[in-house]
Amino acid sequence: MTELATLSAYASTAANSLGRRFNEPPPEHRSEFQRDRDRIVHSAAFRRLEYKTQVFVNHEGDMFRTRLTHSIEVAQIARSVARILGVNEVLAETIALAHDLGHTPFGHAGQDALNQCMRDHGGFEHNLQSLRIVDQLEEKYAEFDGLNLTFETREGILKHCSADNARQLGELGERFLKKQQPGLEAQITNIADEIAYNNHDIDDGLRAGLIDIEQLCEIQLFREQHETVMATYPSLQRRRAIHEIIRRMINRQVSDLIEATRERLAATAPRSRNDILNQPDPLADFSKPMQAMNRELKRFLRNHLYRHYRVHRMTSKARSIIRALFDSFLDDPLLLPPEAQRKAAEPEAETGISGRARAVADYIAGMTDRYAIQEYERIFTPAKLT
Ligand code: MG
């Protein structure tokens, strides 16, 4: 119930859903995807997003994005696009709110370090970890482990997957082996994620003084909006001008995504969700010129922000913390708090050291930036014994 009658024939709906892993009675006052969204919002992993970061370490400053505000920005963009394209706005929002649940502390540096630590034990991948959280790790419901979400939400969370991992995931992994696409809601959310982080990284990078406006004028997407804003409001105060430019960049990218996706939908004329899945490429994407401008923007951020020596120092420190915590816990699980010890015992009994390693990775991945730093201090700083 409560799904819009105005949805297109290729939208994901409760009626064409592949359902949940454990059968449950349908919700009384919500749609199935609303129930998924609400379960995510009430999860422990969702709350921890507040103290996890993407580029800047959490304690660097309160003005920067966290993974929580990032996820909300992604949800905002994904909802707008899904709604105007006639697909399921609630599902797009749900996927957006869940898409980063599996991220480690310290952003990509943390993910890379943990993946390195886990290389003899099946690796670590944040997408798979997001799925692991909603499928297994949340301990909230009497009847099942995890959140028992619908197939379509889980499909949207699992953006990438190796063939090896796909084979172990059954139905959910099939599309990677068959080279199929996910539903349009998942495709939209994927691009909304890019739009959100590229633009807010510019904003945060400017605020941190790591990049400047003159440098940014090298890239077309920024330069165009900068020229318009400066011509219209020549004496605008700097912070407001930055916000004006960035909101216009987001709007430009979102509009392009909507128009280009509409054109592809018109050209392929899908009649069902299955028609969307069977396309050789995603239908939700930028136009070719915007793809090129977006690549230019990403290249700029990689060279000038993510590799900036101050960011690099943070990421290097983050790597050392993750590596040191992992090695200590794997070597001596008695260092783990009792709850984490309990969670390590069962997988260790089943698969030995790799089972223990997986439990340690789950524990570390669940940490916030500041908790990881505290744990590091508790274990390695002699003055901190508790
Ligand atoms: Mg993201």
Side-chain angles (χ1 to χ4, degrees), residues 147-166:
L147 307 179
N148 197 31
L149 303 180
T150 61
F151 178 90
E152 292 70 24
T153 297
R154 297 167 62 234
E155 168 195 77
I157 290 172
L158 194 64
K159 278 196 275 192
H160 326 277
C161 185
S162 68
D164 271 355
N165 286 326

Side-chain angles (χ1 to χ4, degrees), residues 206-219:
L206 283 167
R207 185 176 287 112
L210 301 179
I211 48 178
D212 60 43
I213 290 180
E214 292 64 41
Q215 274 178 310
L216 275 161
C217 284
E218 285 169 28
I219 52 171

Side-chain angles (χ1 to χ4, degrees), residues 54 67 70 74 99-100 103 159 193 197:
Q54 307 224 110
R67 288 206 181 268
H70 163 68
V74 176
H99 86 283
D100 269 355
H103 265 288
K159 278 196 275 192
D193 184 22
Y197 68 67

Side-chain angles (χ1 to χ4, degrees), residues 15-190:
N16 64 30
S17 170
L18 296 183
R20 300 175 191 276
R21 297 203 296 171
F22 305 98
N23 273 331
E24 293 185 66
E28 274 181 68
H29 306 292
R30 300 174 287 183
S31 71
E32 295 284 358
F33 299 127
Q34 282 177 301
R35 175 150 73 179
D36 279 7
R37 178 197 58 198
D38 299 348
R39 284 182 180 180
I40 289 160
V41 168
H42 289 281
S43 70
F46 185 73
R47 285 195 296 281
R48 289 196 205 116
L49 294 176
E50 185 176 0
Y51 299 106
K52 291 191 182 201
T53 46
Q54 307 224 110
V55 178
F56 300 90
V57 174
N58 186 252
H59 65 274
E60 293 283 319
D62 293 344
M63 296 297 285
F64 300 118
R65 265 69 174 190
T66 65
R67 288 206 181 268
L68 181 64
T69 59
H70 163 68
S71 299
I72 294 169
E73 288 181 30
V74 176
Q76 178 272 311
I77 294 170
R79 286 180 60 180
S80 304
V81 177
R83 186 185 184 93
I84 199 79
L85 293 176
V87 293
N88 204 312
E89 180 183 339
V90 177
L91 176 58
E93 177 186 23
T94 304
I95 296 168
L97 293 178
H99 86 283
D100 269 355
L101 290 178
H103 265 288
T104 60
F106 312 129
H108 295 289
Q111 134 88 30
D112 293 346
L114 202 50
N115 188 31
Q116 262 286 316
C117 296
M118 288 293 289
R119 71 184 180 282
D120 297 331
H121 311 291
F124 179 90
E125 212 280 309
H126 63 86
N127 253 293
L128 277 173
Q129 190 68 10
S130 298
L131 190 68
R132 202 168 145 73
I133 286 169
V134 301
D135 280 356
Q136 296 174 47
L137 298 182
E138 284 284 329
E139 295 180 327
K140 289 221 164 331
Y141 297 88
E143 304 267 330
F144 43 78
D145 286 340
L147 307 179
N148 197 31
L149 303 180
T150 61
F151 178 90
E152 292 70 24
T153 297
R154 297 167 62 234
E155 168 195 77
I157 290 172
L158 194 64
K159 278 196 275 192
H160 326 277
C161 185
S162 68
D164 271 355
N165 286 326
R167 273 181 219 104
Q168 293 169 28
L169 288 171
E171 203 177 18
L172 198 66
E174 270 178 30
R175 80 176 163 94
F176 297 97
L177 303 172
K178 291 182 180 165
K179 306 252 184 290
Q180 283 182 324
Q181 309 306 321
L184 207 57
E185 294 85 354
Q187 297 180 25
I188 289 167
T189 307
N190 193 19

